[in-house]
Amino acid sequence: MSQNSRVSRVCGLNNQGIVDYSQAWDYQRSLVKARVNNPSLNDVLILVEHPPVYTLGTGSSLDFLNFDPQAGEFEVHRIERGGEVTYHCPGQLVGYPILNLRYYQQDLHWYLRQLETVIINTVANYGLSAYRVPNLTGVWVEGKKIAAIGIKVKRWITMHGFAINVCPDLSGFKQIVPCGIADKPVGSLQEFVLDLTVERVRVDVAQAFASVFKLKLVEENILN
């Protein structure tokens, strides 16, 4: 479906607290499978936090781990998204959009730029000027990467997504080369806005997501 003939879409907003990575991963895959079988199903945006966990993209190099994955303190998962290794932990808001890109644009670069726009627009609410770095995926503020993006698309149904460092313990990033980028430090929004909370960012990122993708969000809280 071309963008010009696009209809207004309903998107379920699934807000969760701290959820084990494997549980959220299984849930995403179940949603994608359902939409591959029935493309008319509504889109979904899952917003969660995770206990400490490292994830590697399909082709990620183990050289970017500064520890033995068989003997590390936290879980390590190799998953089907693109990109290199990243770290999730409480205080980081993770967004998993399950969108049918046939209703938007069947263009992965377009989709990545849209996700970056969602984050840039969210951060603008806090008086911060976030930006892209040429030839890289993600969002930066004052030289620090505050959001990472990694996606998987199957038959134009998206999964995985973005992670925004709101107020996490950043020490876990010292165990990896985040996203394979050695020369650009990772930061958090709380470094710039001291009282910022994940709950505040949840609200703002959902609003920005609805605006950028021209969606109607409907609250739902089912994760199984």
Side-chain angles (χ1 to χ4, degrees):
M1 180 180 293
S2 70
Q3 190 175 25
N4 290 336
S5 61
R6 194 175 132 191
V7 298
S8 178
R9 295 282 290 168
V10 172
C11 180
L13 176 60
N14 194 322
N15 267 308
Q16 299 291 328
I18 297 176
V19 176
D20 284 344
Y21 188 84
S22 294
Q23 182 184 3
W25 187 16
D26 286 344
Y27 184 50
Q28 288 186 76
R29 287 184 288 189
S30 72
L31 292 175
V32 170
K33 181 178 179 180
R35 282 149 182 80
V36 166
N37 293 331
N38 182 1
S40 68
L41 291 174
N42 289 341
D43 298 323
V44 178
L45 173 62
I46 306 164
L47 295 177
V48 300
E49 295 173 76
H50 292 306
V53 60
Y54 294 95
T55 69
L56 298 126
T58 303
S60 295
S61 171
L62 294 177
D63 292 341
F64 294 130
L65 297 181
N66 298 326
F67 63 92
D68 180 353
Q70 302 301 319
E73 181 180 359
F74 301 127
E75 293 182 19
V76 179
H77 295 280
R78 186 175 289 277
I79 58 177
E80 64 272 64
R81 64 162 172 80
E84 292 290 344
V85 62
T86 195
Y87 175 64
H88 301 302
C89 66
Q92 180 195 75
L93 182 64
V94 182
Y96 298 127
I98 312 297
L99 303 185
N100 187 338
L101 292 183
R102 289 188 178 90
Y103 293 96
Y104 303 90
Q105 287 194 31
Q106 292 173 225
D107 182 330
L108 301 190
H109 292 289
W110 173 86
Y111 178 58
L112 289 169
R113 302 295 82 78
Q114 296 299 98
L115 292 181
E116 289 169 345
T117 299
V118 168
I119 297 163
I120 290 168
N121 291 355
T122 298
V123 170
N125 289 305
Y126 319 128
L128 298 176
S129 180
Y131 56 90
R132 301 174 176 89
V133 171
N135 302 315
L136 296 175
T137 297
V139 175
W140 280 258
V141 173
E142 294 188 17
K144 294 186 176 183
K145 189 172 186 180
I146 55 90
I149 296 173
I151 65 169
K152 165 70 176 178
V153 177
K154 180 177 182 180
R155 298 188 187 177
W156 297 110
I157 311 296
T158 69
M159 65 181 294
H160 299 297
F162 57 85
I164 307 172
N165 295 332
V166 182
C167 52
D169 178 355
L170 295 174
S171 61
F173 285 100
K174 296 178 181 177
Q175 301 301 314
I176 61 174
V177 180
C179 302
I181 305 171
D183 61 344
K184 296 186 184 301
V186 171
S188 70
L189 293 177
Q190 197 176 59
E191 294 178 58
F192 307 99
V193 183
L194 295 181
D195 61 349
L196 196 60
T197 65
V198 171
E199 292 312 307
R200 167 77 188 277
V201 179
R202 280 180 184 273
V203 173
D204 293 337
V205 81
Q207 291 177 348
F209 188 86
S211 176
V212 168
F213 286 98
K214 298 180 173 57
L215 288 166
K216 178 182 179 182
L217 290 177
V218 177
E219 291 264 2
E220 59 178 37
N221 285 290
I222 301 171
L223 184 59
N224 49 33

